[in-house]
Amino acid sequence: MNAEFVKSAVFEKDYPESALPEIAFVGRSNVGKSSMINSLLGRKKLVKVSAKPGKTRTLNFFNIENEIMFVDLPGYGFAAVSKSERASWAKCIETYLTKRDNLKACVLILDIRRLPSEEDMDMLGWLSETETHTLVILTKTDKLSNNQIAKQVRLIAEEVGIDKEHFFLYSSVTGHGKDNVWEALRSVAGL
Ligand code: GDP
């Protein structure tokens, strides 16, 4: 799939001029966000798989086939971050979610092996307050058996308070879930 890095931005004035529908990706550091974006695009290294968690501090825009823009939002939950860094991260994301007309949906990524963290819950709350259409994807399913997957889906659904049918299951290692996710992304993007 043809995908091109467009630019990085922190402030609204730096967002690319574009009419493409945008899908934003967010999740805690190390959840597998870069791997998921690369896997959805069938690319090995378009988005750097972070050796050092929490390094990305900017919004990164990728033009996919001139049809849709993927926006990689900076990850959260990295312990060694100062209060002021956290505040500027929050401001950056809040501005993007509230001001960007191109934004069609946000993909929130959770690790299927873990219950959502407080920050995951905050993020979900924010997405709901800003009325951002949200797809929750549970990734790293290849690490669990089918029984364990079913159990985790149930537990996470309970914790998040949404119906378990609304989750997408994914593995960046096997590509499992790719077709379903793409179908949903195309649909929310109006393609
Ligand atoms: P990011 O910080 O959210 O961008 O996370 P990365 O994409 O850098 O992934 C963090 C780690 O999890 C890396 O070691 C990846 O190889 C691994 N990882 C990511 N996705 C998967 C997955 O679906 N299955 C497995 N088994 N490992 C994964």
Side-chain angles (χ1 to χ4, degrees):
M1 190 168 279
N2 189 34
E4 246 176 63
F5 172 70
V6 179
K7 72 184 299 196
S8 294
V10 175
F11 306 106
E12 194 183 0
K13 65 174 174 51
D14 301 319
Y15 298 167
E17 261 183 55
S18 148
L20 296 178
E22 286 175 6
I23 307 286
F25 291 78
V26 73
R28 65 186 292 161
S29 311
N30 228 30
V31 72
K33 177 160 57 73
S34 317
S35 304
M36 181 181 294
I37 296 173
N38 288 328
S39 138
L40 284 170
L41 299 175
R43 299 276 295 250
K44 283 226 166 78
K45 283 190 270 199
L46 183 74
V47 184
K48 248 202 226 153
V49 175
S50 43
K52 201 173 163 196
K55 232 185 143 200
T56 331
R57 291 268 173 265
T58 54
L59 312 174
N60 294 315
F61 292 80
F62 298 91
N63 179 331
I64 319 300
E65 306 263 352
N66 261 328
E67 275 193 340
I68 189 167
M69 192 89 84
F70 277 9
V71 187
D72 185 13
L73 304 185
Y76 51 81
F78 183 49
V81 164
S82 67
K83 248 189 173 171
S84 66
E85 270 181 284
R86 211 169 290 232
S88 55
W89 173 87
K91 182 83 202 142
C92 170
I93 304 242
E94 187 196 8
T95 305
Y96 178 76
L97 294 181
T98 52
K99 302 265 175 81
R100 185 67 163 170
D101 288 336
N102 307 40
L103 178 65
K104 299 297 177 211
C106 188
V107 168
L108 178 93
I109 306 162
L110 299 174
D111 185 326
I112 188 147
R113 298 167 302 169
R114 298 176 171 212
L115 287 180
S117 68
E118 208 177 311
E119 280 157 311
D120 291 323
M121 295 304 289
D122 287 348
M123 190 73 223
L124 278 163
W126 239 12
L127 289 166
S128 146
E129 272 168 40
T130 54
E131 294 179 0
T132 308
H133 188 110
T134 303
L135 308 178
V136 181
I137 306 187
L138 310 182
T139 195
K140 305 195 185 179
T141 55
D142 59 280
K143 298 225 183 204
L144 299 182
S145 69
N146 285 341
N147 277 343
Q148 290 171 316
I149 289 174
K151 182 175 167 222
Q152 284 302 105
V153 166
R154 215 169 39 240
L155 290 175
I156 297 170
E158 248 173 55
E159 195 78 9
V160 171
I162 65 179
D163 199 293
K164 65 180 168 36
E165 312 304 322
H166 287 121
F167 292 133
F168 290 84
L169 300 178
Y170 203 84
S171 165
S172 300
V173 170
T174 65
H176 180 87
K178 199 165 154 174
D179 292 347
N180 276 346
V181 169
W182 262 118
E183 194 186 313
L185 296 183
R186 283 190 210 288
S187 159
V188 290
L191 299 178

